[in-house]
Amino acid sequence: MKIHIIEIGTFQLPPSRPLKDLIPEIKKIKLSKGLPVAFKLDSIIIDWHSPLPEDVEEIVLKPLFPEDRESLEVLRHTASHILAQAVKELFPEAKLGIGPAIDEGFYYDIYYPKPFNEEDLKLIEKKVKEIIKKNLPLERKVLERSEAERLFSELKEDFKLELLREFEDSQISVYTQGNFVDLCRGPHLLTTGQVRAVKLLSVAGAYWRGNEKNPMLNRIYGTAFFKEEDLKAYLELLEEVKKRDHRRLGKELELFLIEEDIGAGLVIWLPKGALVRKIIEDFWKEEHLKRDYHLVYTPHIALRDLWKTSGHLDFYSDNMYPPMELENRAYQLKPMNCPFHIYIYNQKRRSYRDLPLRLCELGTVYRFERSGVLHGLLRVRGFTQDDAHIFCREDQLEDELIRVLDLVIYFLKLFGFQEYQIYLSTRPEKFVGPPEIWDKAEKALKSALEHKGLAFEIDPGEGVFYGPKIDLKIKDVLGRFWQCSTIQVDFNLPERFDLVYVSEDNRFHRPIMIHRALLGSLERFFGVLIEHYGGAFPFWLAPIQVRVLTITDRNILYGEKIFQELKSAGFRVDKDFRNEKINYKIRSAQMEKIPYMIILGDQEEQRQTLSLRKRSGEVLQDLTLSEVITLLRSENTLSSIH
RNA sequence: GCCGGCGUAGCUCAGGGGUAGAGCAGUGGAUUCGUAAUCCACAGGUCGUGGGUUCGAAACCCACCGCCGGCUCCA
């Protein structure tokens, strides 16, 4: 067979031989990037061990080198095998689950009667490094199904057997290194020594195949790179992530509080955090009113029967707080706002002329979350959705969806999020409503996305039973994605609450409902914002925009005057007139991440000027107050948009 | 909920069967200073909660609560 490797050359290989056989020949060529790690055949990654297609005479391979993203996948997959080998050597009774490469590294799920702890992890890491040092060659073998079953039952690898029995192929591939064997499709490196930099990061419990009914395995997470410096850079990134952790910054910057005595997952917004929230809320309301939404407020609890009608008791009760009984009636803390908005729709007879009816609310809801899943502001039990429900006619659906998408993107960009992952989830197996309308709604969602020129992926069958939806994840400054926005079409609730409007033909028709949240929940969005900006909010969001600092006590009077003038100019300003050195006061302001400091001493006072220090450290001297005000005003993104 | 780790002053953390320690923050004083930490003093803790072991527990054991990293789910 003729093998053409791009930019390397063309080689001849006898049939059913692996690429490995070509190594001596390839090594003779001067390769600027060294020997390839693996190859790409069309869109699949193959390694030096992989069997090549048999029915063709010629294939073209794209070589993958350490700098290619896909090579890392191969490396990490091998690293996970090394991890498994290390564990098996140290703990022979351990049983292996699965061990894939993941975005940031790899893991292996391993059963062992006694769960592993941090100390075991250190031991295992040591062993991993030994195996790497031995530079064991990897081999790929193909076994008959029965042979493979015999092998893994001899090895007492129950989980592997379970996997094996579900495979359809009669031939099973395994990879070996030293005396370690693992059921595996590949691809892998040539030798364990190619894994130059590896680190085990954590152990955690993980159910076999993610199912709570299955036994719990130990998941060992690690990461690996071709170069030590890449590992170092990654560990530094982890440090950076830690520094930006909204829970830490929330404490340091006094933004919010989650307090054991108050309750897990319940958020207290401290004055500074509350101020940021107020800015977001004011802006949100204004923008919605501009776009012909009606602002509404609804109660936090309601009679439980409401949730029976809505169907939430049937499919959502696990997430709902238990009922409260009073005067023989059961009340329910609300997990969603929709039923209330439905009653607003139903408050009077609606005409086709009333549609679309857009109701919006910053509605606080309570959902019970299992204690183990709570996480700072990102996962809480009480939160405020920036919710809206749009009731429209079928012919208005696409237009409304476009308008919603417009608004989403407008908001997200303003908050500094430029990149998104968008998923369109389509009809699941269990669904309500006529399939034709589903098709129409899916089409409407799709063309709305296309109309906005937004790239998206389709998640087939992942829609909620009541309608198709668009989920939007935003990418933060560290490249992490967060789900915030969601747009869902609903055919179910209008049916359950028997919503109608009177059409031109004087007959009743059923409206379609759109649920949508742009920011998702204010709590989560705030958490994401804190991490995105590392606590250094842009000027328009900063709880304190400017701080006035005096050099000595002599300047307090002048400082007070400047402070008052900035305040009446509409800025969020505070002052630091403490009897401390200027360096000390600058340091405090800097650590509080205040965008601007105004520093004044005798010199400024005499000349009636100011010194302005930006958060970046840049200093502008000798400015007049009106120059400063002009400069600050130009910083205000919001006013420049309005 | 489950698995592992953790819980000591407002914060960050040290200590560890003989009765509590640092830095920062706070308070008082000295200092009046030019763009990221001035000095001194003081004050501050039923060592997460409850129970047990012990002459003695913050340390060891058990239960619970909470937090952290995951599994699952989602805003």
Side-chain angles (χ1 to χ4, degrees), chain A residues 117-165:
Chain A
N117 59 30
E118 310 278 315
E119 308 230 318
D120 299 325
L121 203 64
K122 277 183 206 145
L123 264 168
I124 297 167
E125 184 171 295
K126 215 176 133 212
K127 192 57 118 184
V128 164
K129 288 186 173 155
E130 280 171 37
I131 295 168
I132 290 172
K133 222 172 182 174
K134 283 188 199 157
N135 200 20
L136 301 171
L138 283 107
E139 297 286 343
R140 181 176 193 277
K141 282 185 194 143
V142 176
L143 304 178
E144 288 303 318
R145 197 186 182 84
S146 55
E147 278 180 280
E149 284 196 28
R150 189 157 6 98
L151 173 68
F152 287 105
S153 64
E154 271 167 21
L155 291 170
K156 298 203 171 63
E157 292 291 3
D158 307 341
F159 299 105
K160 295 290 179 191
L161 272 174
E162 187 181 325
L163 293 173
L164 185 56
R165 294 202 171 113

Side-chain angles (χ1 to χ4, degrees), chain A residues 605-619:
Chain A
E605 192 166 345
Q606 271 164 28
R607 295 153 79 156
Q608 292 292 296
T609 60
L610 300 167
S611 164
L612 189 71
R613 187 186 209 272
K614 297 189 186 178
R615 189 159 50 187
S616 63
E618 190 189 338
V619 177

Side-chain angles (χ1 to χ4, degrees), chain A residues 364-608:
Chain A
T364 303
V365 297
Y366 293 87
R367 299 183 185 174
F368 177 74
E369 298 285 355
R370 299 197 291 180
S371 59
V373 304
L374 299 174
H375 181 96
L377 292 177
L378 302 180
R379 192 81 185 156
V380 295
R381 285 178 174 160
F383 58 96
T384 303
Q385 288 183 306
D386 69 318
D387 211 356
H389 295 95
I390 300 167
F391 301 86
C392 66
R393 307 188 307 253
E394 207 182 300
D395 62 289
Q396 294 169 324
L397 184 61
E398 183 171 336
D399 223 43
E400 283 308 303
L401 291 171
I402 290 171
R403 290 178 55 124
V404 170
L405 276 173
D406 255 343
L407 191 54
V408 172
I409 301 298
Y410 173 68
F411 266 71
L412 295 178
K413 285 221 165 109
L414 208 62
F415 285 103
F417 301 103
Q418 312 281 347
E419 281 184 68
Y420 322 103
Q421 272 176 359
I422 304 178
Y423 301 91
L424 169 57
S425 304
T426 57
R427 190 168 77 222
E429 276 177 36
K430 255 182 69 186
F431 66 96
V432 300
E436 317 85 72
I437 303 194
W438 271 84
D439 293 344
K440 271 189 198 161
E442 285 172 14
K443 228 183 98 209
L445 284 167
K446 211 161 152 185
S447 52
L449 284 167
E450 279 159 3
H451 182 265
K452 285 293 300 171
L454 294 166
F456 61 96
E457 276 175 48
I458 293 187
D459 247 352
E462 285 300 303
V464 206
F465 73 92
Y466 53 74
K469 63 169 181 175
I470 293 173
D471 286 325
L472 207 147
K473 291 185 179 180
I474 53 181
K475 185 177 172 182
D476 77 4
V477 77
L478 294 181
R480 299 168 302 175
F481 282 90
W482 305 93
Q483 203 211 307
C484 294
S485 325
T486 183
I487 304 168
Q488 313 186 345
V489 180
D490 188 341
F491 309 123
N492 180 46
L493 287 178
E495 194 76 34
R496 294 189 81 114
F497 284 95
D498 195 23
L499 300 188
V500 292
Y501 62 88
V502 180
S503 188
E504 275 172 293
D505 56 12
N506 199 28
R507 285 167 55 184
F508 290 144
H509 291 263
R510 183 97 55 226
I512 297 177
M513 221 177 135
I514 303 169
H515 308 248
R516 49 109 279 199
L518 308 181
L519 311 177
S521 94
L522 293 180
E523 284 75 7
R524 170 179 287 180
F525 192 73
F526 189 38
V528 174
L529 263 188
I530 294 169
E531 304 216 351
H532 183 59
Y533 289 121
F537 293 109
F539 192 76
W540 74 284
L541 282 173
I544 301 171
Q545 296 177 306
V546 194
R547 174 171 288 170
V548 181
L549 317 184
T550 46
I551 302 268
T552 80
D553 288 354
R554 286 192 299 278
N555 314 119
I556 290 181
L557 226 60
Y558 182 49
E560 190 65 44
K561 178 178 158 254
I562 297 296
F563 168 77
Q564 289 301 342
E565 298 214 17
L566 285 168
K567 205 170 162 186
S568 39
F571 295 107
R572 295 187 291 278
V573 53
D574 80 348
K575 54 192 177 184
D576 186 353
F577 296 167
R578 288 178 296 177
N579 175 10
E580 294 288 353
K581 286 192 162 179
I582 193 64
N583 278 344
Y584 181 85
K585 296 201 259 190
I586 287 171
R587 186 178 140 85
S588 327
Q590 201 77 47
M591 292 202 304
E592 287 174 58
K593 302 181 194 289
I594 297 168
Y596 286 97
M597 288 171 233
I598 284 174
I599 297 168
L600 42 93
D602 293 343
Q603 201 186 90
E604 284 78 7
E605 192 166 345
Q606 271 164 28
R607 295 153 79 156
Q608 292 292 296

